[in-house]
């Protein structure tokens, strides 16, 4: 039996907007992921951001409200992105030649075959000086995750273990971190370093399903 569910560009381009604003998007974990994306992207101190994969628009809206110029792109015409195109076509679709400080690509690359990953990373590196990428993890995590605080000072606390498990891939995903040997986190970092000078990786503090990669110093931007 195949480990893949319904995958492919046609699926991603046809998902109704309601999918991105349904109840599963309002869990504390999902909202933490979105706010963590905002925090990380803002940490680059960017003036101009390209967001690949607009989702429900939370991240781009919040960044715009803070005064950052954001251009959004998505393959799905129903989500209201500024540019409707697959990732590979974005360099040709961008008519404004001003450089982006950061390209954000969260929960996107796993929706395309792993064989396309190097080309996708090369495209991202050609779009901005830096990239913020997030990807889902395959192994379930068992443990405790929360915040330890005194008044208004907090420290994230996470205690747990990853459980190796070759479960069926989430619908829409061709691959996930640790779903196969080539998608080990260390292997993905090595591939990202072919296109960026430095890569910093971690896990979302209160949503251990999501890993993040801060890719700095693109080798594809002059």
């Amino acid at each position: 039996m195949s480990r893949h569910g319904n995958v492919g560009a046609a699926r991603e381009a046809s998902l109704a907007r309601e999918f991105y604003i349904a109840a599963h998007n309002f869990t504390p974990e999902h909202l933490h992921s979105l706010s963590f994306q905002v925090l990380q992207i803002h940490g680059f101190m960017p003036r101009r951001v390209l967001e690949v994969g607009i989702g429900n628009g939370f991240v781009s809206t919040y960044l715009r409200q803070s005064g950052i110029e954001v251009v959004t792109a998505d393959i799905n015409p129903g989500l209201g992105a500024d540019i409707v195109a697959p990732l590979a076509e974005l360099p040709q679709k961008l008519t404004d030649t001003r450089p982006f400080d950061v390209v954000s690509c969260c929960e996107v690359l796993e929706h395309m075959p792993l064989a396309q990953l190097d080309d996708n990373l090369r495209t991202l590196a050609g779009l901005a000086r830096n990239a913020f990428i997030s990807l889902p993890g395959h192994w379930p995590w068992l443990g405790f995750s929360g915040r330890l605080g005194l008044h208004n000072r907090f420290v994230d606390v996470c205690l747990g273990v990853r459980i190796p498990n070759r479960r069926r891939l989430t619908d829409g995903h061709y691959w996930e971190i640790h779903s196969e040997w080539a998608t080990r986190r260390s292997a993905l970092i090595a591939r990202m370093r072919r296109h960026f000078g430095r890569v910093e990786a971690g896990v979302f503090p209160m949503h251990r399903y999501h890993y993040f990669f801060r890719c700095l110093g693109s080798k594809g931007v002059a």
Side-chain angles (χ1 to χ4, degrees):
M1 180 177 177
S2 173
R3 297 176 65 209
H4 298 96
N6 184 13
V7 294
R11 174 190 183 273
E12 302 307 317
S14 62
L15 286 173
R17 184 176 181 275
E18 286 70 26
F19 174 83
Y20 296 94
I21 56 174
H24 67 269
N25 293 292
F26 286 88
T27 64
E29 295 78 21
H30 188 79
L31 293 172
H32 168 74
S33 288
L34 295 174
S35 61
F36 188 78
Q37 290 174 34
V38 172
L39 175 65
Q40 288 292 311
I41 295 168
H42 186 266
F44 285 96
M45 303 301 291
R47 295 182 178 179
R48 197 162 188 255
V49 172
L50 173 64
E51 183 185 34
V52 179
I54 188 174
N56 58 21
F58 180 101
V59 173
S60 56
T61 298
Y62 202 101
L63 292 174
R64 282 170 173 160
Q65 290 295 323
S66 71
I68 298 171
E69 181 184 354
V70 182
V71 176
T72 58
D74 203 287
I75 196 174
N76 190 327
L79 301 183
D82 299 314
I83 301 171
V84 178
L87 174 59
E89 296 179 11
L90 287 185
Q92 291 73 44
K93 295 288 185 178
L94 289 164
T95 56
D96 190 335
T97 58
R98 289 179 298 150
F100 289 100
D101 300 302
V102 182
V103 55
S104 168
C105 188
C106 294
E107 312 304 307
V108 171
L109 299 179
E110 73 276 10
H111 293 279
M112 292 177 273
L114 184 61
Q116 297 178 12
L117 180 59
D118 284 320
D119 288 338
N120 289 335
L121 291 172
R122 186 178 299 106
T123 298
L124 292 174
L127 291 170
R129 301 184 185 95
N130 308 296
F132 180 74
I133 298 169
S134 74
L135 294 164
H138 189 65
W139 291 352
W141 183 82
L142 175 66
F144 167 81
S145 180
R147 307 200 81 192
L148 180 66
L150 175 63
H151 190 45
N152 65 340
R153 297 182 181 276
F154 297 91
V155 176
D156 295 318
V157 178
C158 299
L159 300 172
V161 295
R162 297 279 177 187
I163 305 171
N165 178 12
R166 285 183 61 79
R167 61 174 175 79
R168 185 176 182 273
L169 291 163
T170 300
D171 202 33
H173 295 182
Y174 281 96
W175 56 276
E176 297 164 355
I177 294 179
H178 292 298
S179 63
E180 54 188 277
W181 184 253
T183 64
R184 305 178 331 275
R185 180 162 60 164
S186 59
L188 295 174
I189 291 173
R191 294 172 81 159
M192 292 176 188
R193 284 176 176 160
R194 298 174 189 170
H195 308 282
F196 294 90
R198 189 164 89 253
V199 178
E200 302 168 353
V203 184
F204 284 45
M206 286 184 282
H207 193 7
R208 311 300 285 182
Y209 175 55
H210 287 167
Y211 293 69
F212 70 88
F213 303 84
R214 289 169 51 88
C215 304
L216 311 168
S218 167
K219 298 177 181 178
V221 174

